[in-house]
Amino acid sequence: MTITFELNGKTTTWEIDPVETLLHALRRHGLTGVKEGCDTASCGVCTVLLDGKPVPSCAVPAGRVDGHAVLTVEGVPAKARAIGEALADEGADQCGYCAPGLVMSLVAMEKELDQPDDREIASYLAGNMCRCSGYASQTRAIRKYLGGES
Amino acid sequence: MNEVGKSLPKIDGVGLAMGRPAYADDLAPREALVVKALRSPHAFARIRSIETAAAEAIPGVACVLTWQDVPRVAVTRAGQGHPEPSPRDRFILDEFVRHIGDEVAVVAADSLQTAQLALDALVVDYEVLEPVLDFEQAEGHASVLHPEPEAHENFPIGFEPQRNIASAYEMHVGDVDQVVAESEVVLRRTYYTQAQQHVALEPMACATWLDLHDRLNVISSTQTPWHVRRIMARALDIPVSGIRVNKPRIGGGFGGKQMIHGELLCGLVTLRTGKAAKMVYSRREVFSATNTRHPMRMDITLAAHRDGRLRAIDMRALSDTGAYGEHALTVFMVAGAKTLPLYNKVEAVRFGGKTVYTNHPPGGAFRGYGAIQGNFALESALAELAVELDLDPVELRRVNMIAEGETSPIFAIMGEGTEGVAQTIDSCKLPECIDRGMELIGWADKYPRREVAPGRVRGVGMALAMQGSGIPGIDMAAATLKLNDFGSFNLLIGATDLGTGSDTILAQIAAETLGVSTDLIKVYSSDTDRTPFDTGAYASSTTYVSGHAVRKAAEKMRAALTAEGAAMLGCDPGQAVFDGAEVRGPDGSISLEDLSTRLLYNQNQKQLCTTGSHLCEQSPPPYMAAFAEVEVDTGTGKVDLVDYVAVVDCGQAINPNLARVQVEGGLVQGIGMALTEDVRYGKRGRLQTGDMMTYKIPGRQDVPRITVELVESHEPSGPFGAKSVGEIGIDTPPAAIANAVFNAVGVRVRDLPLTPEKVLMALRGDRDA
Ligand code: FES
Ligand code: FES
C-alpha cells in the first residue's frame, strides 16, 4: 500500500507492506537511527514522535501514519547533539543503543513538562530502558541538560 | 597526569545519540538476504526428515539448509582462546535438537516476510525424546544429550558425555574434613542461583558478504572478533586467511556476545549463494536461543573458631550448562577462584563439583562469570555465620579478609580452565572501602533493622567482592600507533569496545604516554584485517591488558619521535626530548606538527608506526564493599531497595566517569538478578519468560538511590596503576540484598531471585515455627 505522511518535516510517499511496522518501514528506508530492541513495546529504543507524541514505532503499523507527522532522531540533529553531549559529559552514553530513543522522548518531554523533578522525569521516561548505565548517570545528564537550557 | 584520570567524554557518544549508522544491522549491505532459523518446538528430539521443496519453491527464497547440507565439524561457540576449555559439542546444524529454540534448519530470502513464509513451509518429522529438565537429575539420566562420537574435549576438563557431564573440577588445600571435624562452629548451607538473561538492548546481529577478492567479510556484534574468525574457519572448513571479521559499535554485550551466534549460519548462506546475507535475532530468539547465566546449586560448609576466625571453607557446586557446554568449566571454576581468595586465612579450603547438560538453552559467559554465583553463596553463608556467632557481619569480614602484601594459594591452583598464576596482592583497599561504605549507608544507625511503619521494616546488609583483571598467561592484546602529517595519530587496537568506553580509555592511555591531548588520537578498533590482535573483551581484561599494549606502543612512538626529531635538529637522540608538543635539542626545537609533516613529505621521509603487545601476567583483583538498605512489606513479602552503596578499589581510574558508570550499570544488573530477573521454564522445557514483558529487567523507576565511590588506589602492575572495573559491580547485590532482608525481617532466602512469594512464604513459615 502507499502512504503519504510528513517525515522529519518533509512530505513523503512510501510503498509499504501492509503488515510491516513503522519501525521496519523506517529502517528499510535508511532511517537507521531508529533502533529495534524488543518488538513488544517494552524497551523504548524504537521511540519516534507521532504528531509530537512519543510512541514505540515497533507497535505502530506503518499504514497508520498515513496523513500524520513522524519525527525521528534524524530530524532533530541539533537537539540530539546537545543531549548526546550532556550524556557524554556524565559518561552516561555507554553502548548508545538506547540513546536515539531517549533523545526523542526528551524532545517531547521538554514540550510537555515544565521544570520536571527527578520523579516526574523518571516517570515520563519510564518506557526508555537502558541496560548499560543503571540510569543514575542518565538522570545526572538530563538534569544538567534541562538546567542548561532554561 | 594530564589525560589519564580525567573524565573525558566517550569519543563515540554524540554520534550514537544522533543516530548515525553504527551497529551491525545499520551497516549491513542493503541487498543482504535475510537469514532466519527454524527453531525446535521440542526440548529434545531427533530429526527424522525435513521437507524443503515447498519452501524452496517460494519466489524470493535463495536457499534452505538443513543438517544434511552442512560440514560435520564439531565446534564450540563459546568464543574463547585456542584450544578452547569448553567441549566441542556443536555443529552448524545437527540431526538432534537439544532445547526449545535450537536451530533445526535455516532459510535465506529477499525479505523478512518471505523468510517467514519459507519457515512456515518447512515440514519436519521429529522423533521426540525424553528431555532432561532438572539439573539435579541430569547426571546419569537415561537420556543422553550428546551421544554423538564427534563431540570431544580439547584437553582434560572432565568431559563425560555419556553421563551428561560437560566438565568436572576438584581442588583442595589442606585437609578440609579434618579441620571441619575439629572446629568449634560449623555451618552447612545450600544456595541456588538462577539463569539470568543479558538483555543487551541490541539483539545479536551479523552480516556477511564476499568481497572482490572472494574473501568472506563479516560484521558482527561480537566481543571476540578473532575467535569468531577462527571458529568460523573451522566450522565452514575454509582458511582463517579467507575471513575478515569486523566489530562495529555494539549495543551492549555483558558476555552474551562473547559466544558465536548467527555468524556460522549467515556465513554459510553467503558461501552457498555467493550473496550478501544478514542475520538479526528477534528478542524472542535472543531469549530462547542464545545463552544465559549458568544456574548453580552451591553447598557450602564454613568452619570457624568461636571468636570468628574462619578455619575452613568447603564449596561444592553443581552447574547447569543447558544443551551445550559453552563456558561450562571456566564459569564453574571462577565461582571458587574469584570468591575464595577473599578469605585467605583459612587452614583448609576445598572447591569442586560438576557442570551437567540439560535440555535448556545453553549457559554462557555473563558479566560476573561464576563469581556472582559463588559470591551469593559465600557472602550469604558468612552473614549466617555471623548470626550464629553473634558477631557484627562487618567485623567477621574484617578479621578474615585478604590484605595488601598477602596471597592465597588459590591464585596458583585455579586459573580459567587450567592452572592459575601465583600472585601477591599489591593493592587492596578493602578496609577503606568498608569504612567509607558504612559511613555512606549509615550502618551504625541502621543495622540491623528499624520499623518505619506498621508492617514495613527496613534492614541493612552487606557483602564484599573481588574479581580479576584478565586471564593470566592467556590474554594477549596488541596496539599499533601510526603517525600522520600535522601531528595526529591513528591508534589501531584489537580491543573490542562493547559500549564500555574502552576506545576512549585506550586513547587516553596513548595520549598520556605520548604527552599529547587525547583528541589527537584517532581510534580504529576490532578488525581482524586492519588492527592487531586482541583476545577480546571479556574477563575484565581491556583496561588492564590492552591498556598495557597501548602504553608500550606509545612509548616506542615517543622514542621514535625523539630520534627522528633529533636527526632533523642535527643532534644526538640522547640530547633530545619530546614533551608532546615539540622535540627539543640543545640548539633548537621542532614541533610535532612540523616533524610529522616533514617525515611524510620533505625530509628523511618514512612512516612511523609502532606496535606494542602485552601478555597478561597476573590478574590483580579489584575489590568492592557494598551495603544495601531494603524495606520489606511483611504483609506482601515485597522487597523495595531503598539505598545501595558501593565503594570500589579498581586501582587508578583511567576515566573516573566511565569507571563509575561501569559500576552503576553492573549494580543495577545485579539488582535485577537479586529481585526480579528469573528465567522460567514450563514442564516440557518451554521458556515462559521469552520477551521483555515477562522477563523483567530493572526500569528507571525501579532503581533506588545508588551511591558509587572509587577509593584511591594504585595497582603497580597496571597501566598507570589501573585494575579492571567492568564486572565487579554486578557481584554483590544478590548477597547484600538477601542479607539486608534477613536483617530486616529475620527470614533467609537461599534461592534467587528474592520474589515477594518466597519472602512471604518464608515469613509465614517463620511465624508458624
Ligand atoms: S523495539 Fe519498540 S519498544 Fe522495544
Ligand atoms: S547505553 Fe546501552 S542500553 Fe543504554
Side-chain angles (χ1 to χ4, degrees), chain A residues 92 94-98 130-132 138, chain B residues 201:
Chain A
Q94 291 279 294
C95 79
Y97 201 72
C98 63
C130 176
R131 186 60 156 169
C132 300
Q138 286 191 351
Chain B
L201 288 189

Side-chain angles (χ1 to χ4, degrees), chain A residues 23 35-39 41-46 56 58:
Chain A
L23 166 63
K35 305 302 181 200
E36 176 162 14
C38 71
D39 334 312
S42 319
C43 75
V45 302
C46 66
C58 70

Side-chain angles (χ1 to χ4, degrees), chain B residues 184-185 304-310 389 391 396 399-400:
Chain B
E184 292 168 319
V185 185
H305 294 288
R306 269 254 144 252
D307 63 9
R309 282 172 301 141
L310 280 174
L389 296 172
L391 281 175
L396 181 65
V399 177
N400 291 293

Side-chain angles (χ1 to χ4, degrees), chain B residues 561-562 565-566 569 571-591 595:
Chain B
L561 282 167
T562 311
L569 295 170
C571 71
D572 204 72
Q575 297 175 292
V577 277
F578 173 58
D579 66 1
E582 56 182 22
V583 178
R584 234 175 303 112
D587 321 301
S589 65
I590 180 166
S591 71
L595 173 60

Side-chain angles (χ1 to χ4, degrees), chain A residues 38-142:
Chain A
C38 71
D39 334 312
T40 52
S42 319
C43 75
V45 302
C46 66
T47 304
V48 299
L49 303 192
L50 179 58
D51 299 330
K53 291 262 181 290
V55 292
S57 61
C58 70
V60 177
R64 223 184 77 200
V65 306
D66 189 36
H68 293 267
V70 173
L71 192 63
T72 73
V73 72
E74 286 88 350
V76 290
K79 284 268 177 207
R81 182 179 289 280
I83 294 168
E85 280 168 1
L87 291 171
D89 281 343
E90 289 297 326
D93 53 328
Q94 291 279 294
C95 79
Y97 201 72
C98 63
L102 182 68
V103 164
M104 296 318 292
S105 292
L106 277 170
V107 166
M109 187 185 84
E110 274 188 281
K111 291 223 176 79
E112 253 180 80
L113 304 184
D114 187 33
Q115 299 194 317
D117 61 21
D118 281 3
R119 187 180 277 256
E120 289 167 309
I121 293 173
S123 150
Y124 195 91
L125 300 176
N128 293 95
M129 305 290 264
C130 176
R131 186 60 156 169
C132 300
S133 70
Y135 305 107
S137 55
Q138 286 191 351
T139 307
R140 292 193 288 272
I142 292 165

Side-chain angles (χ1 to χ4, degrees), chain B residues 79 218 220-232 243-248 257-258 260 263 493-498 525-529 531 533-538:
Chain B
V218 184
S220 173
S221 61
T222 179
Q223 299 177 220
T224 55
W226 276 267
H227 300 337
V228 168
R229 181 177 68 168
R230 195 188 73 244
I231 295 163
M232 284 185 85
I243 305 176
R244 171 190 169 204
V245 179
N246 173 219
K247 179 220 64 120
K257 292 170 181 167
Q258 180 174 353
I260 295 192
E263 293 94 334
I493 41 178
T496 44
D497 189 334
L498 320 180
S525 56
S526 326
D527 185 325
T528 59
D529 264 17
T531 69
F533 180 85
D534 194 296
T535 31
Y538 54 87

Side-chain angles (χ1 to χ4, degrees), chain B residues 165 167-171 315-319 332 351-355:
Chain B
I165 297 170
S167 70
Y169 181 77
E170 295 293 336
M171 69 74 78
M315 211 189 240
R316 309 270 331 146
L318 180 70
S319 172
F332 182 90
F351 176 80
K354 290 167 186 152
T355 303

